[in-house]
Amino acid sequence: MKKTKIVLLLIVILTVALTGCWNRRELNDLAIVVGIGIDKKDSHYVFTVQVINQIAIQSQTKVESRAPVVTYRIETDTIFEGIRRLTTVSPRKLFFAHLRLVVLGEVLARQGIEEVVDFLVRDHEFRGDFFFIVARETTAAEVLEIITPAELIPSVSFYRTLSTSARFWAPTHSVQLAPLVTDLLTPGKNPVITGLVVVGNSPSKDSTQNVQKSAPPTQVLLFSIGLFHNGRLVAWLNEGESKGYNYIVNKISSSVAPIDGPDGQNIILEISNSTTKLRSQNQDGRPMIMIEVNTEANLGEINVPIDLKRPGALSDLERSLENKISSYIFEAIAKAKSYQTDVFGFGGVIHRADPQTWKRLQPNWDQEFVNLPVEIVARVKIKKSGDIVTPLREAIQKSKRAQ
Amino acid sequence: MMIFGIMVVAALIVAYDLPDIRKKGTRKELAFFTGLLAIACVLSAIYFLGLQLANPLDWIAFIYQPLFDHLLRDKAGFK
Amino acid sequence: MNKNSITHQQFTKIVALDIIGVSILSVPSIVIDIAKQDAWIAALLASFFGLLLAGLLYLFGRLFTGQTLIQFCQHLLGKYLGNGIALLYIFFFFIGSTTLLWDIGQFTTSSVLTDTPRLVINFTYLIIVIASVRLGVVTIARSAEILFLVFLGIYVVFSILILPQIHLENIQPVLEATTPALGQAAFILLSFTSLTLFRLLMFYPQHVPPGRATARAFLVGTLIGNGVLLVIIVLSILALGTQLSPLLAYAGHTLARVISVGQFIERIEGTMTTLWYISMLIRITLYFHCLVVGFAQVVRLSDFRVVTLPLGMIVLLFSLFIYPDFDYAAKWNREVWPLYAFTHGVLFPLLLAIVYWFRNSSLPAAEQKESPSQTS
């Protein structure tokens, strides 16, 4: 039957077409990009791409002498051109779907990140689940060339550090593509990106020698939060202010907080749970922001003789942690106000609660933000005092005296 | 290359449908089948030779765009 | 089971899938762009008018007594005027088929298979469409029944998996959008859902026996379709926000990308694309069915299958360049298409009903009770 033959022919043709031959990317032809660094030098963009070195990380035939990643660098006038040109420096086709980290040089960040973000949103190969980081006081290229100890792939290492530290240590803030774009676009909110510093700039940082010691000479530390205003980096928060920022945006899940004990020595409290509610209130026709922090803490480390069995001892600690948190928050707001950038989304809070007032404030929000009254209420509850009620040091002294 | 492709597709279509049409159909059906196929081939050839084909959407927009501009956007406040 | 009739369940599913059709893919971005966080209100408005329209279409279809829309035109308006209107309809079906096929190509080349030529994608997809049209309406209905299950399964999984990513504050403040914005968003949404539902008149009066159950199928199908859309729009607002969504060509696809459950279930957008290929299939198939059947009825061919392949070739050709680029498509979808769909989906049927009423009012009316269709 003639018809059957034609259908068969068609099936054969379609089988060829449907295997995706135009798009096939064999695994061994790909260079898996895990990190991109973008710097601005004069009017050029400098691209650094960190690619997994497949030969070095294969588990069976691990070649110790090779670095686990390769970085390629290129200078171009536009970002898109940079990505295209990079394909000429790498022997394999760059594959971006597993990108973990985008590092922006501080110079670029201060000049504006809109173009970079636009490109990352536009190109379908970027999935948007990577983190942004600003290389503080250095270039993105420097950061990406460092070989890290605990993880084979440096970008993955930073990615993990960032997502872990955002969970266990307050002063960092992990930012992915979608929230960044939303913050850039929403009137009444400005973005932040965590900054990263390089410590101990040893000459061997870009070779595997860097990881042959237990304390690598060059390390990368996640540092503080960078404030942006309309896509431009304007200031850095210090550690306390960074914590304050995270308290305000309700991103503290656990952290440690040192507070001053009776005679100036440290008591470390471990924050186990913290939630923050932002509310907007109208005060004689002017909006006001109420920040309400509810924190649960555990006793961590106590270096002072203090008897926790004494009634009121715990509540004293609670009060002083409340003051501490309030002052973090206050400092963070003061810093942001001095740069006229509403990184906390107070504008959004007013918008949601009171659209009419927001319509009036919005055109001049940067100014209004500076004059916006903010009230901070922090409540701390110490849940567990650890397994011992009396600090060990005090117990030892007591028992010695008793003998 | 593309012209060759058009010829192959047309040939396949003819081989697939023509026998049935000749057996069962009337002259009218044969006429419409071949006529439309010829039009399709000519249009495809024009397109693949790199010449511009008129876009029917432009004709529709010619009628409705003023309607949108003057009625919906200016009067009803559409964006 | 009667070989030539469509069951009411099948018909419900055709209505639902046709309404979901293309609107699940590219329309949420447009609607959110216009109505911002209140887009869901626009979707509710659209559902309301959609239900109204579905009811009217049902009543209108009862006037046909077993004819298709095209035959009804010819019968009612005579040779010249009737065929004139019929040709306008056929042109509409042609535009619908080609633009939707372009959408398939655009979506696939920009989000899934970036290096594959558009011609190959459109060709492959059109083969399925032509094959189903040649097999007839009853086959289409049965496949709709199966595909609906697949669609619903993926859709439910999709919606549940997206839940961890939502931010409830994205939908506040409520009711900020102005009335024109809500109206426009609802109008655009309608133009991709219920305003094109009249294509069912090309086979519903013949293959589905009229009656309560059919009316219910119309309404339930419209409800399901609009419900699915509403959820997608709400999820886009909640998970992507009103700032990001309008920037995206295919908000639904980006939505699938942000799915990440315990860093374990992620990167499943490839699976999710099945959703759009299914819902688009029924919609394009119906368009193409109307195109070839309508054409065959205007020139009075005894078998519409004769023209499927040549017309398919023309549709394929035009689908390559019907929109010169994405911006043209965006402007067209926003400004021209809603009015164009309104003309064919509401205005013409209304005129036809009025003419029918005038003609029949002079006769001793056997079907006078159908007349409410044009008054409301």
Side-chain angles (χ1 to χ4, degrees), chain B residues 2 13 17 28-29 32-33 36-37 40 43-44 47 53 55-58 60 64-65 68 76-79, chain C residues 34 119 134 180 184 299-303 306-307 309-310 314 317 321-323 328 332 335-336 339-340 343:
Chain B
M2 287 317 291
I13 291 177
D17 262 356
K28 193 179 183 183
E29 273 152 7
F32 270 104
F33 175 74
L36 280 175
L37 194 60
L43 290 177
S44 307
Y47 177 72
L53 278 177
N55 186 341
L57 295 193
D58 290 338
I60 301 167
Y64 287 100
Q65 192 71 55
F68 176 86
F78 281 21
K79 285 179 278 187
Chain C
I34 294 169
L119 178 61
R134 284 175 77 107
Q184 188 186 10
V299 300
R300 297 184 192 278
L301 296 177
S302 61
D303 186 3
V306 171
V307 289
L309 291 178
I314 298 178
L317 173 70
F321 63 89
I322 191 80
Y323 298 126
Y328 188 101
W332 162 271
E335 301 185 351
V336 184
L339 285 169
Y340 187 45
T343 316

Side-chain angles (χ1 to χ4, degrees), chain A residues 52 57 71 88-90 114 134 136 159 168 210 225 287 374:
Chain A
I52 292 181
I57 63 163
T71 54
T88 60
V89 294
S90 157
E114 296 97 330
V134 176
R136 187 173 178 183
Y159 181 86
F168 299 112
N210 192 43
I225 289 175
V374 178

Side-chain angles (χ1 to χ4, degrees), chain A residues 53-69:
Chain A
N53 187 346
Q54 279 101 330
I55 300 168
I57 63 163
Q58 276 158 5
S59 55
Q60 287 123 7
T61 57
K62 196 176 268 179
V63 187
E64 291 292 346
S65 55
R66 292 202 185 214
V69 289

